Amino acid sequence: MDVMRMNEGNVSQCPIVEEEPNVDATRFFDLLKDFDEPLWDDCTNHSKLSYVAQVFTIKSNHGLSKAGYNKIIEWARSILPEGNRLKENFYAAKSMMKPLSLGYQKIDMYPNFCMLYYLENVELTECMTCGHSRYKPRTGRGKTLVAY
């Protein structure tokens, strides 16, 4: 404690040790630099990261399929200036985001919005409100249970 009081207010005497970032940190900083790149030369309002984040949000919020996402990107690429840095499809954009390790968790929900099968309800097979089955009725030989 006395050592801390002696150095209090005297930061200039503290030794500064500079070291190279580890491999993961270096990869992360390179990724951030890449994300900070504008979508095209002289573009001031969107970076690669902002574009990917916004289009992924639109895809998620509106339930777009991968094919729908790809069609929108194809259209956007056709109207942007030559040499734009827009990723060409869903797979390329997802690959770009993968190093950020932004995972997701799929949560089943009853179509009438009665309840979510989440946390303490994750193991339930019937809705607590209306008693309807969590899964669609099986047809044919299918063995897999499919949530609504």
Side-chain angles (χ1 to χ4, degrees):
M1 194 68 144
D2 291 332
V3 174
M4 288 175 65
R5 283 193 198 117
M6 284 177 29
N7 287 336
E8 197 172 286
N10 204 357
V11 177
S12 62
Q13 292 182 355
C14 296
I16 297 175
V17 178
E18 289 193 29
E19 57 185 64
E20 292 296 315
N22 65 27
V23 175
D24 290 333
T26 302
R27 194 176 305 133
F28 181 74
F29 288 127
D30 289 343
L31 185 67
L32 289 180
K33 270 191 259 178
D34 187 41
F35 279 152
D36 200 31
E37 186 178 358
L39 278 180
W40 64 87
D41 296 334
D42 300 327
C43 175
T44 57
N45 51 338
H46 290 291
S47 67
K48 283 171 126 179
L49 177 60
S50 70
Y51 135 72
V52 170
Q54 288 178 6
V55 179
F56 274 10
T57 300
I58 291 169
K59 180 188 180 312
S60 175
N61 288 347
H62 298 285
L64 285 178
S65 66
K66 291 176 191 171
Y69 178 97
N70 290 341
K71 281 293 183 189
I72 289 172
I73 297 306
E74 181 182 318
W75 170 77
R77 287 175 60 90
S78 72
I79 62 171
L80 289 177
E82 228 17 77
N84 68 69
R85 296 171 190 93
L86 203 63
K87 292 295 183 185
E88 57 277 357
N89 57 33
F90 178 75
Y91 177 76
K94 189 174 175 183
S95 296
M96 185 175 96
M97 295 292 279
K98 189 172 183 158
L100 289 178
S101 301
L102 301 173
Y104 68 92
Q105 179 182 7
K106 184 176 179 182
I107 300 172
D108 291 342
M109 178 176 68
Y110 183 67
N112 291 340
F113 307 105
C114 297
M115 68 174 281
L116 294 175
Y117 295 97
Y118 183 62
L119 296 177
E120 66 274 357
N121 300 329
V122 76
E123 299 296 325
L124 295 179
T125 57
E126 293 179 348
C127 178
M128 293 185 327
T129 306
C130 67
H132 197 276
S133 174
R134 175 180 184 172
Y135 302 105
K136 293 179 182 178
R138 292 183 190 180
T139 58
R141 298 185 191 180
K143 295 181 181 179
T144 305
L145 293 173
V146 178
Y148 277 97

